[in-house]
Amino acid sequence: MDRKAFIEFCKEGNPISGNDIELHGLLTECSYEAQRITMKLNTSYHSKEEIVEIFRELTGTEVDPSFMCFPPFYTDFGKNITVGKNVFFNTGCSFQDRGGIRIGDGSLIGMNVTIATLNHGLSVETRNVTYPSPVVIGQNVWVGSSATILPGVTIGDHAVVAAGAVVTKDVPNNTVVAGVPAKVIKNIDTES
């Protein structure tokens, strides 16, 4: 399998066993490339326009010029992140994106937010297998500082995730969630 086919294989949501030498080698190659690109991002000053270009290189996709990121930013794969228009990442975000991360227009990702898209098998026999599940963040979502979003979660449009929350389940549109695990604590009045 070549690298392009491997990236598509990952985007399709296929699990990868640590015992699969070919796939594990391709995964390591992609991870090292993501480290190289994020090292470039994180170790010197860049203009907003340069950061957009670095994210285009990292993701291999078009990134809207309205995108903003305050480094440092970390990711282990890089090729399965999609960001909409007017998206902002604050400093210290860490994305495990092999399972897929989609972030809608106008969303704000706070400092030190972690988004995970992989789980390991529970049994000893499958513990070295990683199973991907995408994270989808809707439009105009605000994810507060140090929140963690776990694999397979969808956060609805206009929702707010409180600082420090651990999001284990889907979040409805127009709600605020908080706590560990995160629970709905209020609805957002969309009329005001």
Side-chain angles (χ1 to χ4, degrees):
M1 179 181 302
D2 69 10
R3 190 164 166 232
K4 184 176 179 183
F6 174 71
I7 290 170
E8 286 308 309
F9 175 85
C10 291
K11 288 181 177 184
E12 292 168 359
N14 293 296
I16 295 177
S17 170
N19 297 332
D20 189 320
I21 294 169
E22 178 188 14
L23 294 181
H24 204 264
L26 288 162
L27 179 58
T28 300
E29 182 183 317
C30 289
S31 293
Y32 284 159
E33 179 179 281
Q35 289 176 37
R36 178 186 59 77
I37 295 168
T38 56
M39 185 69 71
K40 177 170 63 171
L41 173 69
N42 295 336
T43 58
S44 64
Y45 170 80
H46 299 282
S47 69
K48 180 181 181 303
E49 295 77 17
E50 290 169 333
I51 290 172
V52 168
E53 284 303 316
I54 291 169
F55 263 83
R56 288 175 179 156
E57 178 186 4
L58 176 66
T59 63
T61 64
E62 185 57 34
V63 176
D64 193 81
S66 63
F67 172 72
M68 285 187 68
C69 173
F70 291 168
F73 173 82
Y74 305 97
T75 187
D76 67 337
F77 188 66
K79 299 300 184 202
N80 209 357
I81 301 170
T82 305
V83 294
K85 296 178 180 177
N86 298 306
V87 168
F88 172 70
F89 297 170
N90 212 331
T91 187
C93 291
S94 184
F95 290 7
Q96 180 194 54
D97 70 283
R98 196 182 93 223
I101 297 172
R102 290 195 332 255
I103 301 174
D105 294 348
S107 288
L108 309 170
I109 310 300
M111 291 189 305
N112 301 315
V113 166
T114 298
I115 301 177
T117 66
L118 299 175
N119 267 320
H120 290 270
L122 286 178
S123 70
V124 173
E125 296 78 25
T126 62
R127 187 100 14 109
N128 71 347
V129 178
T130 51
Y131 298 93
S133 296
V135 168
V136 177
I137 297 175
Q139 295 185 14
N140 301 307
V141 171
W142 173 21
V143 180
S145 295
S146 298
T148 299
I149 302 169
L150 295 183
V153 167
T154 295
I155 299 176
D157 294 344
H158 315 292
V160 175
V161 175
V166 177
V167 184
T168 62
K169 296 183 179 168
D170 291 352
V171 175
N173 295 345
N174 302 306
T175 59
V176 178
V177 297
V180 180
K183 293 182 175 30
V184 174
I185 60 168
K186 72 186 290 186
N187 291 314
I188 298 171
D189 181 6
T190 58
E191 299 298 316
S192 47

